[in-house]
Amino acid sequence: MSVKAAAVSFDVKSLPTQPIEGQKTGTSGLRKKAAVFAEGNYLANWIQALFNALGEEVQGQTICLGGDGRWFNKDATQIILKLAAGNGLKKVVVAKDAILATPAASAVIRRRGLYGGLIMSASHNPGGPKEDWGIKFNYKNGEPAPEKITDNIYAFTQTMTEYRMADIPDVDISKLGTTDYGGFEVEVIDPVSDYLMLLQEVFDFDMIKGFLSRTDVSMIFDALHAVTGAYAWPIFVEKLGASPGGMHNAVPLEDFGGGHPDPNLTYAKELVALMYADDAPILGAASDGDGDRNMILGKKFFVTPSDSVAMIAANAEACIPYFKSGFKGCARSM
C-alpha cells in the first residue's frame, strides 16, 4: 500500500555550468558512453536544456521517469528528480527501481494524462560503466519528442550557464509510494500495471491463454537480461499461463549479463540454439534493451520483422480486439 510521507520544504540552487560539446539530440534522444554521462555536469546540462526548451509549458506539469535497467540509471534518476523539482515541475512518476520499458512509458503517459516522460535507455546497445547510456523525452501522446523540441534542446545546450537543482534528499525508488516535498511530489509506481491494463484492452488475453495452455504448444521468451525481464513473469506466466521454465534471462541486470540486448540471430544465440534444436518449442521470442523491438522464431525457422508485421496486418481485425473497427496502417523499425 502506498503511504504519503510528511511534506517538507526545499530550496532551489542555481549552479554555474558551461556548454558541453556533443549534445546534439535526435528523436531517439542523446546517446553516449555511460562514463561521459556520469562525469561532471553532462547529464544535468542536458536535462536543464530540456526544461529550458519546454519553457513555461512544463511548469506545474507531471512527467514519468524510468529506463531499461542499465548502469547509471538509478544515479541519473536522483539527478533528474532534483532538476525537475528545481525547474517547477509538480510531480514525477518514477517506475520502481527505475525499470520502465519504452512502450510501458508511453502507456503510463497516456493512461495518466501526463505531460510527457523521460526514458533512460540506449536501446539495444550494451550496458555497463564502459558501455553505452542514453536518454530521450517522449511527449504528451507517448511519442518521441518532435524535431522542434530536440532542436531547441540542442540550442540551449550551446548557451548553458546554469542549472537549477532542488535541495531534496535522494528518493527511495525501491518502494512504492508518494513523497511530498512541499510543492513537488515523487510517486514510485509498479512498472507493469499501467502497461498490462493497456495490453488487456488491445489483445484477447483469453484466446492467448487458451493457446498457451494447449499440450502441443510450448514457448520460450528470452529477455536478454534487459527491461522486459520485469514484465515476463507477471504477463506471460501469471496472466497468460505460460510455463515459468520458458522465461529465460528474465532478471534485468545493469550490464545485461555482459550481453548485447539486440534481438537478432547474432546476439540472441542462446535462444536461436534452443529454437533450432530437434526438441525445440513451437514459439520463441526475444526483445531488445528497452522493450520496443522483438525477434520471433518458430521451430527451426526465423520470422523476419517484415513478415511479422505482415502477419499482424493480415490477422489484426479478426484476432486483435483493438483493431476490430478497422486497421489503419502499420510500419516496422529499420
Side-chain angles (χ1 to χ4, degrees), residues 210-253:
F211 171 73
L212 291 175
S213 69
R214 286 169 33 180
T215 56
D216 61 336
V217 172
S218 52
M219 167 189 169
I220 291 177
F221 174 71
D222 190 343
L224 300 176
H225 285 304
V227 72
T228 53
Y231 299 79
W233 188 276
I235 295 175
F236 287 132
V237 177
E238 293 182 356
K239 288 293 181 181
L240 296 174
S243 169
M247 303 299 106
H248 290 213
N249 301 316
V251 176
L253 299 175

Side-chain angles (χ1 to χ4, degrees), residues 68-71 125-131 224-226 251-261:
D68 59 12
R70 68 181 59 232
W71 184 84
N125 295 333
K130 296 182 179 180
E131 299 297 348
L224 300 176
H225 285 304
V251 176
L253 299 175
E254 290 190 338
D255 65 348
F256 306 125
H260 196 129

Side-chain angles (χ1 to χ4, degrees), residues 193-207:
S193 58
D194 290 78
Y195 186 48
L196 177 58
M197 286 189 285
L198 176 63
L199 292 178
Q200 289 175 305
E201 294 169 4
V202 173
F203 298 102
D204 187 337
F205 267 46
D206 290 336
M207 180 175 68

Side-chain angles (χ1 to χ4, degrees), residues 13-322:
K13 297 179 180 178
S14 293
L15 301 174
T17 188
Q18 57 187 13
I20 299 174
E21 291 297 322
Q23 293 195 323
K24 176 67 174 175
T25 305
T27 55
S28 294
L30 181 66
R31 294 179 188 173
K32 299 286 181 181
K33 288 297 181 182
V36 172
F37 272 102
E39 184 178 0
N41 302 335
Y42 197 91
L43 175 61
N45 270 29
W46 189 88
I47 296 295
Q48 185 63 59
L50 167 67
F51 292 145
N52 288 351
L54 298 173
E56 293 184 0
E57 184 179 291
V58 78
Q59 297 293 307
Q61 299 286 356
T62 300
I63 63 171
C64 71
L65 174 62
D68 59 12
R70 68 181 59 232
W71 184 84
F72 189 56
N73 280 13
K74 291 180 180 179
D75 289 341
T77 294
Q78 303 299 338
I79 294 170
I80 293 168
L81 291 175
K82 292 175 174 63
L83 285 160
N87 281 273
L89 275 75
K90 177 183 178 181
K91 182 177 180 178
V92 178
V93 177
V94 185
K96 183 176 180 289
D97 294 321
I99 294 287
L100 190 65
T102 293
S106 183
V108 169
I109 291 168
R110 296 197 308 274
R111 295 189 74 85
R112 295 173 180 252
L114 306 186
Y115 176 79
L118 282 162
I119 302 168
M120 300 174 289
S121 172
S123 189
H124 57 277
N125 295 333
K130 296 182 179 180
E131 299 297 348
D132 300 319
W133 201 83
I135 189 164
K136 57 186 174 181
F137 176 70
N138 279 19
Y139 207 27
K140 299 175 182 179
N141 288 327
E143 83 280 18
E147 201 169 275
K148 65 179 181 181
I149 291 179
T150 58
D151 286 348
N152 213 11
I153 294 170
Y154 179 55
F156 275 106
T157 67
Q158 296 179 302
T159 59
M160 192 68 56
T161 59
E162 66 176 17
Y163 57 93
R164 297 184 290 278
M165 296 194 80
D167 186 16
I168 59 175
D170 285 356
V171 177
D172 185 353
I173 59 173
S174 69
K175 297 178 181 177
L176 303 182
T178 302
T179 302
D180 185 351
Y181 291 101
F184 177 72
E185 290 185 352
V186 177
E187 181 183 1
V188 181
I189 65 167
D190 169 45
V192 179
S193 58
D194 290 78
Y195 186 48
L196 177 58
M197 286 189 285
L198 176 63
L199 292 178
Q200 289 175 305
E201 294 169 4
V202 173
F203 298 102
D204 187 337
F205 267 46
D206 290 336
M207 180 175 68
I208 298 171
K209 187 173 183 178
F211 171 73
L212 291 175
S213 69
R214 286 169 33 180
T215 56
D216 61 336
V217 172
S218 52
M219 167 189 169
I220 291 177
F221 174 71
D222 190 343
L224 300 176
H225 285 304
V227 72
T228 53
Y231 299 79
W233 188 276
I235 295 175
F236 287 132
V237 177
E238 293 182 356
K239 288 293 181 181
L240 296 174
S243 169
M247 303 299 106
H248 290 213
N249 301 316
V251 176
L253 299 175
E254 290 190 338
D255 65 348
F256 306 125
H260 196 129
D262 195 354
N264 57 39
L265 298 176
T266 299
Y267 294 114
K269 292 180 180 179
E270 179 183 321
L271 175 62
V272 173
L274 291 170
M275 293 305 300
Y276 278 80
D278 290 337
D279 60 348
I282 68 165
L283 176 63
S287 56
D288 74 331
D290 63 329
D292 62 0
R293 292 193 299 113
N294 62 61
M295 175 176 71
I296 306 295
L297 300 102
K299 185 173 182 177
K300 295 190 176 183
F301 72 89
F302 165 66
V303 182
T304 66
S306 54
D307 284 346
S308 178
V309 172
M311 291 168 66
I312 293 171
N315 296 282
E317 292 184 33
C319 300
I320 303 175
Y322 186 81

